[in-house]
Amino acid sequence: ISFLKKLLTVLFIILTYGYGQTNVSGIFSSNTTWRLISSPYIVTGSVMVNEGVTLTIEAGVEVKFDAGTVLQINGELIAQSTDSDEITFTSNESSPTPGDWGRLTFSESSVDATFDGDGNYSSGSILKYCIVEYGKGVTMADATMFLYYSTLRYNDYKVIYATGSSGGTLKI
């Protein structure tokens, strides 16, 4: 009976929340969470997270980008994972090559990372235990986010590109 109950619970979750690929594009104007159960997320058109809006990405989620698409953060990106269940930002090509997709871009209006008196992360945009690959890297346009235990590989152009001086602390 215990096995049957667990099986029915799993089926209920799958039928209620869906399972598998989720296509995303456009402007996000309300707080959104990308959940593992709906992964991978396929960015079919560029995504912009509006100012004042938070995009949270759960551990283990895979985000695949079609050619030329970007993820632009004008609000806040919380992508915190673990060393055993990384979040991956990658190409949607079957044989990926560097530069297949655009960039993760943090604009001047994005929520800067902040740190407590001991230098520990306390809030703001973060990529923790993430992989960014086969794109054009990460851009901070007069913005500061926290890049923590993450891997940037197989990218084209400038892998980490920071412009301006928002007065925040860039911490990698």
Side-chain angles (χ1 to χ4, degrees):
I1 275 191
S2 177
F3 171 77
L4 183 57
K5 188 174 183 178
K6 287 179 184 178
L7 179 61
L8 289 174
T9 300
V10 169
L11 287 173
F12 172 78
I13 290 171
I14 290 171
L15 292 173
T16 302
Y17 298 103
Y19 182 78
Q21 176 178 314
T22 304
N23 294 337
V24 292
S25 66
I27 298 171
F28 288 30
S29 53
S30 62
N31 294 342
T32 303
T33 299
W34 289 355
R35 302 192 182 285
L36 180 59
I37 195 166
S38 300
S39 182
Y41 287 82
I42 310 299
V43 179
T44 58
S46 292
V47 170
M48 182 176 67
V49 177
N50 267 347
E51 192 171 342
V53 174
T54 301
L55 172 59
T56 304
I57 302 176
E58 290 184 345
V61 166
E62 185 176 31
V63 182
K64 295 182 172 187
F65 292 81
D66 283 351
T69 60
V70 300
L71 175 57
Q72 180 172 328
I73 307 300
N74 295 338
E76 182 176 27
L77 175 64
I78 305 294
Q80 293 191 76
S81 197
T82 65
D83 62 349
S84 62
D85 206 13
E86 296 165 314
I87 296 167
T88 302
F89 299 90
T90 191
S91 169
N92 194 32
E93 297 295 323
S94 56
S95 297
T97 59
D100 276 350
W101 59 279
R103 314 180 69 72
L104 298 180
T105 299
F106 295 84
S107 73
E108 181 179 0
S109 67
S110 67
V111 179
D112 289 339
T114 59
F115 305 91
D116 66 19
D118 295 324
N120 299 310
Y121 168 81
S122 56
S123 66
S125 294
I126 183 172
L127 295 175
K128 179 179 178 182
Y129 290 108
C130 293
I131 297 171
V132 180
E133 61 185 10
Y134 298 111
K136 294 183 180 173
V138 176
T139 295
M140 291 162 276
D142 205 16
T144 56
M145 47 80 69
F146 185 32
L147 187 61
Y148 184 77
Y149 283 102
S150 292
T151 302
L152 285 78
R153 63 184 180 198
Y154 316 125
N155 289 284
D156 191 21
Y157 193 61
K158 297 175 182 177
V159 177
I160 298 176
Y161 185 64
T163 63
S165 63
S166 66
T169 301
L170 176 58
K171 194 167 184 179
I172 299 175

